[in-house]
Amino acid sequence: MKQVQVLDKTFTTYITKVEISERINAIAKELNERYSHKKPMFIAVLNGAFLFASEIFAQFEHPAEISFVKVASYHGTESSGELKTLIGLNSAIHGRDLIIIEDIIDTGKTFHELLPNIHAQNPASIAIVSLLVKPEALKYPVKADYVGFEIPNKFVVGYGLDYDGYGRNLPEIYQIVSE
Ligand code: IMP
Ligand code: MG
């Protein structure tokens, strides 16, 4: 078990690079089958999902577009409960098959606020892909269609996920040792 320090907190290896790659390959395969006759629009939720989204998107074998939204709701290791839209969706999504890519579903607040706006623009379909889900932390009825890993309600960093901006470049996913 490897330990790393991010700012004032200590984290330990939790999901390895190999395990992450295997799940990404499996999810990409499912998306390649399901959308083989569509031209989906991937929507990556920044910042956390950027690495995950880039690998999923790079493995997609059919015509597709990608767009980005940026929201922020976290301060330190606690969800602030308030969602700010920093970059809105500026692509036309009416009639499109959307594949929304998120790093983690924690309370579900991000999707709870994001989805009505997206639904209002009448896309043809919406699929939610989340690398991680914390089922015990869920406060809103949000369900991902494709999940990398279900994890306990403990703070994690790495592979795009941050603690106060740091730790995103760790190649594996690390779990906090004590909060
Ligand atoms: P939700 O809106 O409560 O579902 O939280 C989703 C967002 O909170 C994610 O997109 C992450 O940016 C952030 N988040 C939730 N849990 C963690 C964590 O364990 N580590 C890092 N970021 C997290
Ligand atoms: Mg995020």
Side-chain angles (χ1 to χ4, degrees), residues 74 102-110 134 155-156 161-162:
Y74 250 68
E102 179 57 301
D103 55 351
I104 183 165
I105 298 176
D106 181 30
T107 65
K109 171 125 181 148
T110 304
K134 290 179 181 169
F155 197 75
V156 290
L161 291 117
D162 73 302

Side-chain angles (χ1 to χ4, degrees), residues 45-49 71 102-104:
V45 184
L46 298 173
N47 291 334
V71 293
E102 179 57 301
D103 55 351
I104 183 165

